[in-house]
Amino acid sequence: MNELCGALLAADTDGFRKGWPLRSGDCAKLCVKCGTAYEQIAFCELFHLEDTGWRECTSCGKRLHCGCIASSAFIELLENGGVNCVSCSNSFKHDPSTSEDKPEECGISVENSVEEIRSSIKMYKQSCDATGYDDDASTSHMKHEEIQTTSMSISIYNTGVKDVQTELTIGLASSSQKPAFYPVEDRELSKPYSSSQHGPWAHHILPKVPKSGFPQGFDANSSMGSPIRVARPPVEGRVKNQLLPRYWPRITEQELQQISGDSNATIVPLFEKVLSASDAGRIGRLVLPKACAEAYFPPISQPEGLPLRIQDIKGKEWLFQFRFWPNNNSRMYVLEGVTPCIQSMQLKAGDTVTFSRMEPEGKLLMGSRKASVSTSVQDSRISAMHNGAIENLSNVNDYSNLLQSLKRNTDSHLNILSRNMNLPIGDAKSRADSSFQPDKKRSRNIGSKSKRLLMENQDALDLKYTWEELQDMLNPPTMNPSTVTIEDHEFEEYEEPPVFGKGSIFTVRLSGEQEQWAQCDNCSKWRRLPVDFLLPAKWTCQENIWDGSRSSCLAPDELNPRELEQLLGMMKEHHKWRNSMSHKPDQEQGPSGPNETEPSVATTTKHPRHRPGCSCIVCSQPPSGKGKHKPNCTCTVCMTVKRRFKTLMLRKQQRQSEREAEIAEKSQLKLGPSPTNKETEVKQSTSSSGKAQLDLNIDPHASNTTHVSMMSLLKAANQPLETYMKQHGLTSLISEPQASSGSQPLLQASSGLTPTVQEDEPQGPNHNDNSS
DNA sequence: CCTCTGCATGTTTAT
DNA sequence: TAAACATGCAGAGGA
């Protein structure tokens, strides 16, 4: 039976398609011609139920039959032990012991009292009277005597609360005479999924539109911003299933008016598609969603297809070739010859083309929407939210949070985009706009299909963060680590995970002063920071404690556009340089540091993985000479050094204890010949080298230390590092042999302006020698 | 050599 | 895992 449903319901009969929200195939599951009931309800008039339209009984696993059950009220009922399916009227009383449903028993079917239902219906009717909304369409199908069950959705506007749409879903189970009423006005707002997938406007289910335009009672100039109609397109023709939401037309009032012009024609939005790079490219082929093509365009049996006339919003008629390619036993529909039209509309990848149909003549119409419209609408809605314009929404806080989260994500995305693409934030925003899609699918994976839109050139690819760079962004947790040994490798173990620090840019002024630049996560302005400041994952102007005049997002940017461009250019060069370094791992740069091609970004000269701000033990070492930190300095760098130094001391003591225990054990046993000195040496060397692979804190003096008490170590660890080093005649935390071996010399940046840094990583085979 | 055309293929998404 | 879709690509044809 199901296979007939879509086609039959598509018929313009009995007013089924007169009402906008209640359209054939939406909630109705009866053929309007024959009255046959169909069990499958692909959709309810609730939005976003396509993935929850079927719901299994939590006890028996039996599938219930109405999309309405996805509403929170219904789920609640379900969880309370049972529910009447508004589709088949069967009630399910769950018996977990038998895992069998008992249709003959009525479960908790309806929570709303009859009075509540009547009241709501009355409210609905009053609303219809007040707004002129004609409910014929919603009720006409009820005239069918054969109808046993159905459900309908009613959208009510301005029912006492300004700009708030109250959406009611009424399920009628006529056979059992048990109407089920589910107020679901909170549902959309409380479901992050909804908005993340379809944008914050997605919950607007607009009632019917007599012609073009929005229903009476809907304030197009309201603080809700530009009204966008998001409606599932009609189910008709050969479409077997509902279209994917991403193709649902989001038509603005302005667009509707543009399309319809002065005519009295009714505009039926069909579908829309975000242009891919291929679509917008010169090849002139627009790939049509299969379901849309088969649903709304003329049927074609030959690959050659047929010419199709489509009128744009300016009234200009375009002739395209609508055809298909055989593809994997399927078809791929394309509209050929769209380049002139695309160019005429000045569309590019990321923009959206919309397809509508003018009724009654059935002429196909083509509209477009620049990608930025979506964002601006979103923003306007956000600002509306912030203005409290819809504060009466019951779940406004959640919704607002959601929107702000969305915006944050967007901004964050823009920041990354700006950073990665070497673009001013405005340009990045522009590009992001072109790819911004509120669909869950797209937001879920920015780097997927939209990647092709975002990263169009090699430069952008070059600017992706490398794994090493990401490592640099890992800020160490604040807790002291414990040390675990796994297969001879020692690891610092933190209770808290490391966090990603924010990326930043390091520069050196002509005066020799080092600078770090970071971008505010709120306003995207670049702020100057101390070079040794470890950026957290998120950083805003408010945290700019070093420059009171720029500790607010309102403060002007310190960089003019040209300087910003230079800064980003430096970053780009820096990336390139680092990439080239990463491709030549064995090739060390000379002691003079970076070559001519290296930008003036201050980095270590020997190891591209390190830079000022890096938290590794080497980079954390306070700079010697000029700018040396004070012994009691509590800056992040010094604290990190102290912490690691303490770890080092503890580990040294532990190792010494182990060694002593081992010797004691051997001397006790005396069972076999003692290993020769050489063997012992080899053994220790092997063991040590094994650990040294990952040990950042090897103290070369450990082997010379005969006995160190824990207390003395702790004492040493707590005293200023300089004091300790002075007492032990140390000039560096790195071993003297290491420092003098020539394989890992102390290095200065070419400019001599970066902090003294040393490698803390194994650098090839020689590394083991240094630590043994 | 360039463009067009049709198909193939890899990627992403839905089920 | 299958379907949908974006895009690559080889061959044909024309400038």
Side-chain angles (χ1 to χ4, degrees):
Chain A
M1 289 193 297
N2 292 344
E3 68 274 10
L4 300 175
C5 184
L8 291 174
L9 289 180
D12 280 320
T13 57
D14 297 315
F16 243 97
R17 291 185 54 231
K18 290 177 184 172
W20 183 280
L22 185 68
R23 232 196 321 256
S24 58
D26 284 347
C27 289
K29 49 202 171 296
L30 300 178
C31 172
V32 293
K33 284 187 174 175
C34 65
T36 305
Y38 298 97
E39 278 198 342
Q40 180 176 10
I41 300 173
F43 289 87
C44 175
E45 185 49 54
L46 308 176
F47 270 78
H48 322 308
L49 295 186
E50 65 275 14
D51 62 338
T52 53
W54 291 97
R55 191 172 183 84
E56 291 183 351
C57 165
T58 51
S59 293
C60 67
K62 178 161 184 174
R63 288 184 166 186
L64 303 183
H65 288 166
C66 179
C68 295
I69 61 176
S71 74
S72 57
F74 213 91
I75 290 170
E76 194 177 326
L77 288 177
L78 192 67
E79 289 167 350
N80 283 338
V83 53
N84 260 14
C85 174
V86 295
S87 165
C88 62
S89 301
N90 283 339
S91 58
F92 298 96
K93 178 94 173 176
H94 308 300
D95 183 356
S97 62
T98 61
S99 296
E100 289 177 3
D101 48 14
K102 301 176 180 176
E104 71 281 6
E105 293 184 25
C106 180
I108 307 170
S109 59
V110 180
E111 281 192 336
N112 305 84
S113 68
V114 174
E115 283 70 26
E116 284 174 315
I117 296 168
R118 284 177 180 157
S119 167
S120 298
I121 293 175
K122 185 179 176 185
M123 184 176 72
Y124 156 65
K125 285 190 172 294
Q126 285 173 347
S127 162
C128 292
D129 293 339
T131 61
Y133 179 70
D134 181 6
D135 62 347
D136 282 351
S138 303
T139 56
S140 59
H141 63 289
M142 298 300 295
K143 296 170 187 171
H144 286 266
E145 292 182 359
E146 311 89 85
I147 291 177
Q148 295 174 340
T149 65
T150 190
S151 62
M152 61 183 183
S153 178
I154 304 158
S155 293
I156 299 175
Y157 289 81
N158 292 350
T159 52
V161 181
K162 185 183 179 185
D163 285 336
V164 175
Q165 169 191 331
T166 303
E167 183 186 325
L168 307 176
T169 296
I170 298 178
L172 296 175
S174 56
S175 63
S176 63
Q177 299 302 311
K178 283 188 178 178
F181 166 57
Y182 309 110
V184 291
E185 62 271 19
D186 293 347
R187 173 187 45 78
E188 292 295 341
L189 302 181
S190 60
K191 280 181 65 182
Y193 164 73
S194 302
S195 288
S196 65
Q197 182 176 21
H198 299 290
W201 52 83
H203 68 287
H204 291 274
I205 303 171
L206 304 183
K208 72 179 222 178
V209 182
K211 304 191 311 177
S212 66
F214 281 80
Q216 298 173 29
F218 186 89
D219 184 2
N221 299 315
S222 76
S223 52
M224 289 295 290
S226 174
I228 288 188
R229 175 215 299 262
V230 184
R232 233 169 303 119
V235 176
E236 58 188 65
R238 292 141 286 146
V239 64
K240 293 181 179 61
N241 300 306
Q242 287 283 347
L243 298 182
L244 295 172
R246 80 177 97 148
Y247 302 127
W248 293 358
R250 298 168 173 79
I251 305 287
T252 64
E253 165 75 359
Q254 188 183 13
E255 286 167 348
L256 273 175
Q257 286 182 345
Q258 273 186 323
I259 293 171
S260 65
D262 297 330
S263 72
N264 290 326
T266 299
I267 306 301
V268 180
L270 300 175
F271 68 97
E272 69 176 39
K273 194 204 171 191
V274 177
L275 292 179
S276 71
S278 299
D279 295 333
R282 291 190 309 166
I283 201 163
R285 299 189 294 206
L286 170 61
V287 175
L288 294 167
K290 185 165 172 271
C292 302
E294 293 183 342
Y296 307 120
F297 287 1
I300 49 177
S301 54
Q302 298 300 316
E304 295 73 28
L306 47 80
L308 206 59
R309 290 184 187 277
I310 303 182
Q311 184 179 308
D312 69 12
I313 56 172
K314 295 173 186 171
K316 187 172 182 179
E317 203 165 67
W318 301 88
L319 186 62
F320 305 124
Q321 186 73 19
F322 171 56
R323 56 173 309 176
F324 69 85
W325 304 325
N327 193 306
N328 290 336
N329 295 324
S330 181
R331 288 179 175 189
M332 193 168 170
Y333 290 90
V334 291
L335 216 49
E336 292 183 338
V338 298
T339 298
C341 178
I342 297 289
Q343 288 177 345
S344 166
M345 294 178 177
Q346 297 183 320
L347 300 177
K348 59 181 188 300
D351 296 338
T352 302
V353 289
T354 61
F355 292 89
S356 311
R357 189 175 54 218
M358 192 181 289
E359 299 289 7
E361 59 259 55
K363 181 187 285 183
L364 286 170
L365 305 168
M366 190 175 176
S368 66
R369 185 167 66 246
K370 303 296 282 184
S372 55
V373 171
S374 301
T375 309
S376 63
V377 168
Q378 180 194 13
D379 289 344
S380 69
R381 288 175 186 276
I382 289 171
S383 55
M385 300 288 298
H386 290 174
N387 292 338
I390 50 176
E391 59 191 90
N392 288 326
L393 285 178
S394 58
N395 223 342
V396 68
N397 285 337
D398 289 345
Y399 191 40
S400 181
N401 288 340
L402 175 66
L403 292 185
Q404 290 184 36
S405 168
L406 270 174
K407 188 174 188 302
R408 273 198 303 272
N409 290 341
T410 306
D411 288 344
S412 173
H413 182 196
L414 290 178
N415 291 338
I416 294 170
L417 205 59
S418 158
R419 202 162 48 203
N420 284 1
M421 299 187 70
N422 189 22
L423 289 171
I425 194 73
D427 289 358
K429 179 169 169 45
S430 168
R431 294 210 187 188
D433 283 348
S434 71
S435 65
F436 174 74
Q437 280 305 300
D439 285 358
K440 179 178 74 174
K441 302 162 206 78
R442 290 191 179 263
S443 60
R444 188 196 314 163
N445 187 1
I446 288 174
S448 59
K449 284 189 177 178
S450 52
K451 176 173 66 181
R452 286 165 168 160
L453 304 178
L454 298 177
M455 299 294 180
E456 289 173 331
N457 55 50
Q458 190 58 39
D459 286 347
L461 292 175
D462 286 344
L463 290 174
K464 284 193 295 190
Y465 281 115
T466 65
W467 165 242
E468 287 79 8
E469 288 166 326
L470 287 172
Q471 276 198 318
D472 279 355
M473 293 179 190
L474 279 174
N475 287 347
T478 53
M479 300 296 291
N480 287 343
S482 57
T483 305
V484 296
T485 303
I486 301 173
E487 294 181 354
D488 284 344
H489 295 294
E490 289 187 356
F491 297 90
E492 284 186 348
E493 190 176 74
Y494 295 85
E495 287 189 12
E496 298 294 327
V499 295
F500 272 104
K502 187 178 172 61
S504 59
I505 300 178
F506 291 86
T507 61
V508 181
R509 297 175 79 92
L510 289 175
S511 63
E513 185 189 351
Q514 301 165 63
E515 294 172 336
Q516 182 181 190
W517 293 87
Q519 200 173 15
C520 172
D521 279 323
N522 274 348
C523 66
S524 303
K525 288 172 185 162
W526 288 86
R527 302 298 188 198
R528 191 207 316 258
L529 304 175
V531 70
D532 56 0
F533 176 62
L534 288 175
L535 279 157
K538 283 189 178 293
W539 186 87
T540 61
C541 291
Q542 283 70 35
E543 297 162 67
N544 184 9
I545 58 175
W546 302 274
D547 187 352
S549 64
R550 291 186 175 80
S551 60
S552 161
C553 292
L554 299 175
D557 207 323
E558 197 167 355
L559 299 165
N560 61 40
R562 182 177 174 78
E563 289 169 330
L564 178 62
E565 192 179 338
Q566 287 177 347
L567 191 66
L568 291 170
M570 286 166 61
M571 189 170 186
K572 181 182 171 183
E573 290 298 317
H574 176 53
H575 274 269
K576 283 184 178 176
W577 174 71
R578 293 178 72 138
N579 285 342
S580 67
M581 289 302 295
S582 66
H583 292 145
K584 294 181 284 185
D586 300 329
Q587 198 175 332
E588 283 200 0
Q589 287 185 278
S592 61
N595 56 30
E596 295 169 355
T597 62
E598 188 195 356
S600 56
V601 176
T603 63
T604 71
T605 54
K606 183 180 176 185
H607 308 297
R609 288 183 54 178
H610 299 290
R611 64 176 191 195
C614 172
S615 61
C616 79
I617 186 64
V618 175
C619 296
S620 296
Q621 184 178 4
S624 60
K626 187 181 178 182
K628 206 169 184 176
H629 292 207
K630 292 178 180 177
N632 58 352
C633 175
T634 56
C635 77
T636 311
V637 176
C638 289
M639 293 307 290
T640 305
V641 168
K642 286 171 184 172
R643 176 180 57 77
R644 297 210 171 192
F645 183 65
K646 195 180 290 185
T647 307
L648 182 150
M649 289 294 112
L650 288 169
R651 197 173 305 164
K652 186 162 74 175
Q653 200 275 339
Q654 186 184 2
R655 209 175 291 126
Q656 178 66 23
S657 302
E658 288 172 1
R659 198 172 295 129
E660 286 173 356
E662 193 179 345
I663 292 171
E665 190 181 1
K666 282 177 182 171
S667 61
Q668 267 190 349
L669 288 176
K670 291 180 182 175
L671 292 177
S674 301
T676 64
N677 288 343
K678 193 171 183 177
E679 282 172 331
T680 309
E681 210 174 279
V682 169
K683 185 168 188 262
Q684 288 182 349
S685 171
T686 307
S687 169
S688 180
S689 65
K691 290 179 181 180
Q693 298 276 338
L694 292 172
D695 191 347
L696 307 183
N697 299 317
I698 290 298
D699 185 345
H701 299 280
S703 58
N704 300 328
T705 309
T706 52
H707 177 74
V708 182
S709 75
M710 178 68 83
M711 288 308 293
S712 65
L713 283 171
L714 285 173
K715 187 179 176 184
N718 285 323
Q719 66 183 322
L721 180 60
E722 281 196 1
T723 308
Y724 177 86
M725 294 172 73
K726 204 174 288 178
Q727 285 174 359
H728 292 74
L730 296 176
T731 56
S732 163
L733 282 180
I734 306 300
S735 70
E736 286 176 2
Q738 180 182 10
S740 60
S741 67
S743 62
Q744 297 197 1
L746 287 171
L747 295 171
Q748 301 284 337
S750 60
S751 61
L753 299 169
T754 52
T756 302
V757 289
Q758 296 166 318
E759 183 53 284
D760 66 339
E761 299 279 327
Q763 289 293 308
N766 288 340
H767 175 73
N768 293 343
D769 299 336
N770 300 330
S771 57
S772 57

mmCIF file of all heavy atoms in Angstrom, chain A residues 644-665:
data_model
loop_
_atom_site.group_PDB
_atom_site.id
_atom_site.type_symbol
_atom_site.label_atom_id
_atom_site.label_comp_id
_atom_site.label_asym_id
_atom_site.label_seq_id
_atom_site.Cartn_x
_atom_site.Cartn_y
_atom_site.Cartn_z
ATOM 1 N N ARG A 644 58.631 20.964 36.146
ATOM 2 C CA ARG A 644 59.337 19.890 35.461
ATOM 3 C C ARG A 644 60.648 19.562 36.167
ATOM 4 O O ARG A 644 61.091 18.415 36.173
ATOM 5 C CB ARG A 644 59.598 20.301 34.012
ATOM 6 C CG ARG A 644 58.311 20.514 33.266
ATOM 7 C CD ARG A 644 58.481 20.194 31.827
ATOM 8 N NE ARG A 644 57.172 20.196 31.176
ATOM 9 C CZ ARG A 644 56.984 19.728 29.962
ATOM 10 N NH1 ARG A 644 57.984 19.208 29.295
ATOM 11 N NH2 ARG A 644 55.792 19.751 29.430
ATOM 12 N N PHE A 645 61.243 20.582 36.726
ATOM 13 C CA PHE A 645 62.481 20.345 37.444
ATOM 14 C C PHE A 645 62.212 19.447 38.652
ATOM 15 O O PHE A 645 62.981 18.534 38.963
ATOM 16 C CB PHE A 645 63.063 21.687 37.886
ATOM 17 C CG PHE A 645 64.383 21.549 38.577
ATOM 18 C CD1 PHE A 645 65.496 21.082 37.887
ATOM 19 C CD2 PHE A 645 64.525 21.886 39.906
ATOM 20 C CE1 PHE A 645 66.716 20.964 38.520
ATOM 21 C CE2 PHE A 645 65.741 21.772 40.542
ATOM 22 C CZ PHE A 645 66.848 21.320 39.852
ATOM 23 N N LYS A 646 61.081 19.723 39.269
ATOM 24 C CA LYS A 646 60.718 18.902 40.419
ATOM 25 C C LYS A 646 60.504 17.457 39.977
ATOM 26 O O LYS A 646 60.965 16.502 40.617
ATOM 27 C CB LYS A 646 59.444 19.467 41.068
ATOM 28 C CG LYS A 646 59.184 18.935 42.453
ATOM 29 C CD LYS A 646 57.909 19.529 43.023
ATOM 30 C CE LYS A 646 58.063 20.998 43.354
ATOM 31 N NZ LYS A 646 56.866 21.554 44.024
ATOM 32 N N THR A 647 59.829 17.321 38.879
ATOM 33 C CA THR A 647 59.627 15.979 38.342
ATOM 34 C C THR A 647 60.949 15.291 38.069
ATOM 35 O O THR A 647 61.160 14.126 38.367
ATOM 36 C CB THR A 647 58.821 16.055 37.034
ATOM 37 O OG1 THR A 647 57.640 16.804 37.279
ATOM 38 C CG2 THR A 647 58.447 14.676 36.539
ATOM 39 N N LEU A 648 61.812 16.068 37.506
ATOM 40 C CA LEU A 648 63.135 15.539 37.168
ATOM 41 C C LEU A 648 63.851 15.039 38.415
ATOM 42 O O LEU A 648 64.416 13.944 38.448
ATOM 43 C CB LEU A 648 63.936 16.660 36.503
ATOM 44 C CG LEU A 648 65.353 16.382 36.003
ATOM 45 C CD1 LEU A 648 65.629 17.286 34.805
ATOM 46 C CD2 LEU A 648 66.379 16.669 37.075
ATOM 47 N N MET A 649 63.789 15.851 39.441
ATOM 48 C CA MET A 649 64.482 15.484 40.679
ATOM 49 C C MET A 649 63.877 14.212 41.278
ATOM 50 O O MET A 649 64.587 13.312 41.722
ATOM 51 C CB MET A 649 64.374 16.633 41.689
ATOM 52 C CG MET A 649 65.205 17.847 41.312
ATOM 53 S SD MET A 649 66.959 17.514 41.355
ATOM 54 C CE MET A 649 67.387 17.613 39.662
ATOM 55 N N LEU A 650 62.568 14.172 41.264
ATOM 56 C CA LEU A 650 61.911 13.001 41.827
ATOM 57 C C LEU A 650 62.258 11.744 41.042
ATOM 58 O O LEU A 650 62.499 10.674 41.590
ATOM 59 C CB LEU A 650 60.384 13.210 41.834
ATOM 60 C CG LEU A 650 59.889 14.221 42.857
ATOM 61 C CD1 LEU A 650 58.425 14.541 42.599
ATOM 62 C CD2 LEU A 650 60.048 13.657 44.267
ATOM 63 N N ARG A 651 62.274 11.933 39.770
ATOM 64 C CA ARG A 651 62.564 10.784 38.929
ATOM 65 C C ARG A 651 63.997 10.308 39.132
ATOM 66 O O ARG A 651 64.306 9.130 39.118
ATOM 67 C CB ARG A 651 62.338 11.157 37.474
ATOM 68 C CG ARG A 651 62.224 9.962 36.579
ATOM 69 C CD ARG A 651 61.847 10.396 35.204
ATOM 70 N NE ARG A 651 60.617 11.195 35.207
ATOM 71 C CZ ARG A 651 60.247 11.947 34.188
ATOM 72 N NH1 ARG A 651 60.983 12.016 33.123
ATOM 73 N NH2 ARG A 651 59.124 12.621 34.250
ATOM 74 N N LYS A 652 64.860 11.293 39.316
ATOM 75 C CA LYS A 652 66.259 10.954 39.545
ATOM 76 C C LYS A 652 66.401 10.114 40.813
ATOM 77 O O LYS A 652 67.120 9.104 40.842
ATOM 78 C CB LYS A 652 67.074 12.242 39.675
ATOM 79 C CG LYS A 652 68.564 11.980 39.768
ATOM 80 C CD LYS A 652 69.357 13.231 39.468
ATOM 81 C CE LYS A 652 69.321 14.228 40.598
ATOM 82 N NZ LYS A 652 70.192 15.390 40.356
ATOM 83 N N GLN A 653 65.676 10.544 41.809
ATOM 84 C CA GLN A 653 65.750 9.822 43.062
ATOM 85 C C GLN A 653 65.195 8.418 42.897
ATOM 86 O O GLN A 653 65.748 7.438 43.385
ATOM 87 C CB GLN A 653 64.957 10.591 44.128
ATOM 88 C CG GLN A 653 65.325 10.234 45.555
ATOM 89 C CD GLN A 653 64.553 9.015 46.030
ATOM 90 O OE1 GLN A 653 63.504 8.696 45.475
ATOM 91 N NE2 GLN A 653 65.080 8.336 47.042
ATOM 92 N N GLN A 654 64.127 8.339 42.164
ATOM 93 C CA GLN A 654 63.495 7.038 41.947
ATOM 94 C C GLN A 654 64.437 6.099 41.207
ATOM 95 O O GLN A 654 64.597 4.928 41.550
ATOM 96 C CB GLN A 654 62.208 7.237 41.143
ATOM 97 C CG GLN A 654 61.403 5.970 40.988
ATOM 98 C CD GLN A 654 60.177 6.203 40.089
ATOM 99 O OE1 GLN A 654 59.990 7.291 39.582
ATOM 100 N NE2 GLN A 654 59.377 5.179 39.922
ATOM 101 N N ARG A 655 65.074 6.639 40.222
ATOM 102 C CA ARG A 655 65.980 5.831 39.432
ATOM 103 C C ARG A 655 67.158 5.347 40.278
ATOM 104 O O ARG A 655 67.598 4.210 40.190
ATOM 105 C CB ARG A 655 66.475 6.649 38.240
ATOM 106 C CG ARG A 655 66.817 5.813 37.036
ATOM 107 C CD ARG A 655 67.169 6.704 35.873
ATOM 108 N NE ARG A 655 66.016 7.443 35.370
ATOM 109 C CZ ARG A 655 65.978 8.767 35.223
ATOM 110 N NH1 ARG A 655 67.003 9.504 35.555
ATOM 111 N NH2 ARG A 655 64.902 9.338 34.751
ATOM 112 N N GLN A 656 67.624 6.264 41.078
ATOM 113 C CA GLN A 656 68.750 5.912 41.942
ATOM 114 C C GLN A 656 68.356 4.792 42.904
ATOM 115 O O GLN A 656 69.103 3.841 43.118
ATOM 116 C CB GLN A 656 69.183 7.152 42.730
ATOM 117 C CG GLN A 656 70.329 6.901 43.699
ATOM 118 C CD GLN A 656 71.614 6.545 42.946
ATOM 119 O OE1 GLN A 656 71.779 6.882 41.775
ATOM 120 N NE2 GLN A 656 72.512 5.832 43.631
ATOM 121 N N SER A 657 67.152 4.910 43.430
ATOM 122 C CA SER A 657 66.671 3.888 44.359
ATOM 123 C C SER A 657 66.585 2.542 43.660
ATOM 124 O O SER A 657 66.975 1.509 44.202
ATOM 125 C CB SER A 657 65.298 4.281 44.906
ATOM 126 O OG SER A 657 65.379 5.529 45.534
ATOM 127 N N GLU A 658 66.063 2.586 42.436
ATOM 128 C CA GLU A 658 65.948 1.336 41.695
ATOM 129 C C GLU A 658 67.307 0.708 41.455
ATOM 130 O O GLU A 658 67.502 -0.491 41.581
ATOM 131 C CB GLU A 658 65.241 1.598 40.358
ATOM 132 C CG GLU A 658 63.764 1.895 40.512
ATOM 133 C CD GLU A 658 63.175 2.330 39.183
ATOM 134 O OE1 GLU A 658 63.913 2.370 38.187
ATOM 135 O OE2 GLU A 658 61.976 2.631 39.175
ATOM 136 N N ARG A 659 68.216 1.559 41.135
ATOM 137 C CA ARG A 659 69.553 1.061 40.840
ATOM 138 C C ARG A 659 70.181 0.436 42.091
ATOM 139 O O ARG A 659 70.779 -0.637 42.046
ATOM 140 C CB ARG A 659 70.430 2.196 40.322
ATOM 141 C CG ARG A 659 71.672 1.700 39.599
ATOM 142 C CD ARG A 659 72.380 2.853 38.938
ATOM 143 N NE ARG A 659 71.593 3.453 37.879
ATOM 144 C CZ ARG A 659 71.341 4.754 37.758
ATOM 145 N NH1 ARG A 659 71.797 5.589 38.656
ATOM 146 N NH2 ARG A 659 70.635 5.205 36.762
ATOM 147 N N GLU A 660 70.003 1.123 43.184
ATOM 148 C CA GLU A 660 70.550 0.600 44.430
ATOM 149 C C GLU A 660 69.899 -0.725 44.790
ATOM 150 O O GLU A 660 70.571 -1.671 45.215
ATOM 151 C CB GLU A 660 70.344 1.614 45.555
ATOM 152 C CG GLU A 660 71.287 2.811 45.444
ATOM 153 C CD GLU A 660 70.947 3.882 46.466
ATOM 154 O OE1 GLU A 660 69.935 3.711 47.184
ATOM 155 O OE2 GLU A 660 71.684 4.869 46.551
ATOM 156 N N ALA A 661 68.597 -0.775 44.572
ATOM 157 C CA ALA A 661 67.885 -2.015 44.885
ATOM 158 C C ALA A 661 68.378 -3.147 44.009
ATOM 159 O O ALA A 661 68.547 -4.292 44.450
ATOM 160 C CB ALA A 661 66.387 -1.807 44.698
ATOM 161 N N GLU A 662 68.621 -2.814 42.768
ATOM 162 C CA GLU A 662 69.092 -3.827 41.840
ATOM 163 C C GLU A 662 70.469 -4.361 42.259
ATOM 164 O O GLU A 662 70.722 -5.559 42.257
ATOM 165 C CB GLU A 662 69.180 -3.232 40.436
ATOM 166 C CG GLU A 662 69.358 -4.255 39.356
ATOM 167 C CD GLU A 662 69.408 -3.575 37.985
ATOM 168 O OE1 GLU A 662 69.021 -2.385 37.909
ATOM 169 O OE2 GLU A 662 69.836 -4.224 37.022
ATOM 170 N N ILE A 663 71.316 -3.443 42.608
ATOM 171 C CA ILE A 663 72.670 -3.845 43.024
ATOM 172 C C ILE A 663 72.606 -4.697 44.280
ATOM 173 O O ILE A 663 73.274 -5.733 44.401
ATOM 174 C CB ILE A 663 73.528 -2.588 43.268
ATOM 175 C CG1 ILE A 663 73.768 -1.877 41.928
ATOM 176 C CG2 ILE A 663 74.846 -2.942 43.943
ATOM 177 C CD1 ILE A 663 74.410 -0.514 42.062
ATOM 178 N N ALA A 664 71.746 -4.255 45.182
ATOM 179 C CA ALA A 664 71.616 -5.004 46.427
ATOM 180 C C ALA A 664 71.124 -6.409 46.165
ATOM 181 O O ALA A 664 71.592 -7.391 46.754
ATOM 182 C CB ALA A 664 70.672 -4.268 47.370
ATOM 183 N N GLU A 665 70.184 -6.477 45.233
ATOM 184 C CA GLU A 665 69.623 -7.781 44.908
ATOM 185 C C GLU A 665 70.694 -8.699 44.321
ATOM 186 O O GLU A 665 70.819 -9.867 44.681
ATOM 187 C CB GLU A 665 68.480 -7.608 43.905
ATOM 188 C CG GLU A 665 67.691 -8.861 43.681
ATOM 189 C CD GLU A 665 66.590 -8.618 42.656
ATOM 190 O OE1 GLU A 665 66.507 -7.478 42.157
ATOM 191 O OE2 GLU A 665 65.852 -9.565 42.380
#
